[in-house]
Amino acid sequence: MDAITVNTEASEDANSRPLDSIDVSIPELYQNDTYQPYFERLRREDPVHFYADSKYGPFWSVTRYKDIMKVAVNHQVFSSKWELGGVRLEDQVQGYERPSFIQMDEPDHGQRRMAVSPVVAPANLQRMEGVIRERTAEVLDGLPRDQTFNWVEAVSIELTSRMLATLFDWPLEDRHRLMFWSDVTVCHVDTPDAPVHSEAERWAELQKMATAMKALWDERAKSNVPRFDLISMLAHSEATRNIDFRELLATCSLLIVGGNDTTRNSMSGGVWGLSQFPDQYQKLRENPDLVPSLVPEIIRWHTPVLHLRRTALADFELGDKTIRKGDKVAMWFVSGNRDDDAIETPHDLIVDRPRAREHISFGFGVHRCVGNRLAELQLRILWEEILKRGFEIEVLDRPKFLRSNLIHGVRELPVQLH
Amino acid sequence: MPNVTYIEFDGTAHTIDVPVGKSLMRGAVDNGVAGIDGDCGGECACATCHAYVDPAWLDKTGSPEPGSLEEAMLSFAAAAQPNSRLTCQIRMREELAGIVLRMPEGQH
């Protein structure tokens, strides 16, 4: 079936099936790029939606921008705790829980977050801008012309893996292992071509990662010279210096994913998005000064994190529904960013959109993405350097997306440069 | 109309008329003042409209309520100080006419 047939079928299905049978947790919806009509119907008819029979148990879907905001800022009621299942719809399997700070409530979350946030604070970003630009130029100048290649491998993964190695001060030549562990962390183990196929296998790989990180940690803990990599910061911070091996594993896997995956997919999603709106791409090529609004617009339009989950600590009225204590609640950022009550013509990628920064991709409240400004910096430099070179990027086929209800992953995007 | 002076990190000052009732974040963003982002649109949910209130004005603006979301969000802002506020949480009033706000090196 071609893409248009698949999309028509999805739209018919979304609008004809009984409302209470809509399950937006199915990873294939995102792999096949057919999720939008289901969310459109939910936003219209049942914006706070309960589904009882998902593979991941009963859960609420919050689909409108303003409702997502209400959940995101209320960390007193909506918990992230790993002990309650964590921040993904898919509960953590017992014995394999990963207690990283994204899966903690206050004050534990805040103390640990503050240990790593200096690495992406404004002053440190200024220090990094030069090296990011140099690498971006090197990667772009090495691309073939008039030949088909995979943008994801050649540009998005190449650039974000180098950045990740820098953030950890990890050997650059060994950066592909970090990318592998990132894929290991986010995958659904029941995906046929996933890098690991069971929780035990995932844990074994992450233990290898944590062992390698621990060796760097121990060495850097001894040094009195302040260094600006994540491992050194964790090893020296009061809040994190004595964390156990399990938390070290969890924290490093969180920072590996956060430090590359979302930016990687936005680098690919932006190229795909602009190919769908050629008049916008043309406007951008004629006016490179639009990059500062292009960057948040790409992050909104692509929405690299599909959902994050919370667990209710008390009953809570949302819309005309009552969420009960103990219920699982998914904030669907991918839906909130397409809510036309909050964003005008939300399905269009508009390079000079007014108030482009007001999107929901980074989440809101105390758990808001700590690396958002680094992500924007990398995307800004990438697009500045693309436009400087006058590249015309021709997209030859639809992207292949990751089978995931968590990460909006782009695995392949065939392009030619002219 | 009362005005606000926004001083960028590099010292560039902008004096802007801000109508009573409008937030000081909106006063900056709607007039293209660089250095205040306001990514959440004024919901106290992102900490990207952080500024330092000139000490002479602090008794009029007050500080974030203990235990409030503003206090929690500010604790994550880079380089927060005792006179830090999220400017989306300050609405213009006549008594704030002439208030001076200084911006941090960056919002994040």
Side-chain angles (χ1 to χ4, degrees), chain A residues 120 355 357-358 365 368 373, chain B residues 26 37 39-40 45 107-108:
Chain A
V120 286
R355 295 189 180 183
R357 303 199 59 79
E358 293 178 31
R368 182 174 161 84
R373 292 305 190 252
Chain B
R26 272 290 167 225
D37 295 338
D39 290 5
C40 75
Q107 303 285 352
H108 107 119

Side-chain angles (χ1 to χ4, degrees), chain A residues 53-257:
Chain A
D53 300 320
S54 96
K55 190 173 175 189
Y56 313 103
F59 72 100
W60 292 95
S61 284
V62 184
T63 62
R64 284 188 182 163
Y65 191 100
K66 283 195 168 154
D67 289 337
I68 294 171
M69 179 77 89
K70 282 182 194 155
V71 173
V73 300
N74 195 337
H75 57 269
Q76 290 90 348
V77 170
F78 294 104
S79 170
S80 298
K81 276 182 127 154
W82 59 270
E83 296 95 324
L84 301 175
V87 296
R88 306 175 175 197
L89 273 176
E90 186 169 14
D91 281 317
Q92 303 205 41
V93 176
Q94 223 182 350
Y96 300 111
E97 297 94 342
R98 297 201 294 271
S100 65
F101 62 84
I102 197 177
Q103 308 208 100
M104 292 180 191
D105 290 344
E106 300 316 312
D108 299 336
H109 156 261
Q111 290 163 356
R112 289 161 169 81
R113 176 189 169 109
M114 277 187 259
V116 297
S117 67
V119 81
V120 286
N124 213 32
L125 293 189
Q126 270 184 2
R127 270 197 287 273
M128 286 193 267
E129 176 154 356
V131 68
I132 297 173
R133 194 174 294 281
E134 206 174 284
R135 288 170 177 181
T136 305
E138 191 183 300
V139 167
L140 292 179
D141 289 336
L143 294 173
R145 305 297 282 256
D146 304 310
Q147 271 178 46
T148 305
F149 67 91
N150 179 8
W151 180 266
V152 177
E153 286 284 339
V155 180
S156 312
I157 291 183
E158 195 49 48
L159 287 175
T160 51
S161 65
R162 293 186 194 198
M163 187 74 243
L164 192 57
T166 301
L167 291 173
F168 280 89
D169 197 4
W170 176 269
L172 199 57
E173 64 283 3
D174 215 10
R175 62 190 182 277
H176 299 293
R177 293 177 77 200
L178 295 177
M179 303 308 267
F180 173 71
W181 289 321
S182 178
D183 295 343
V184 165
T185 301
V186 302
C187 75
H188 293 292
V189 293
D190 60 353
T191 303
D193 60 351
V196 287
H197 297 286
S198 69
E199 288 302 326
E201 230 182 291
R202 171 161 28 218
W203 193 256
E205 282 302 335
L206 294 181
Q207 275 187 312
K208 285 184 209 162
M209 177 276 291
T211 304
M213 292 291 180
K214 182 76 169 63
L216 296 176
W217 177 301
D218 289 344
E219 177 194 314
R220 291 173 197 179
K222 285 181 224 146
S223 159
N224 291 322
V225 187
R227 289 167 59 162
F228 291 97
D229 65 275
L230 286 165
I231 300 289
S232 297
M233 284 177 178
L234 288 166
H236 287 274
S237 157
E238 198 61 49
T240 49
R241 61 200 303 171
N242 294 319
I243 60 175
D244 61 19
F245 186 76
R246 177 178 286 262
E247 190 178 338
L248 185 150
L249 177 151
T251 306
C252 291
S253 79
L254 166 67
L255 295 170
I256 287 174
V257 173

Side-chain angles (χ1 to χ4, degrees), chain A residues 341-361:
Chain A
D341 278 348
I343 293 156
E344 231 174 278
T345 57
H347 297 296
D348 296 352
L349 193 160
I350 298 173
V351 295
D352 53 356
R353 182 182 284 282
R355 295 189 180 183
R357 303 199 59 79
E358 293 178 31
H359 62 73
I360 209 158
S361 294

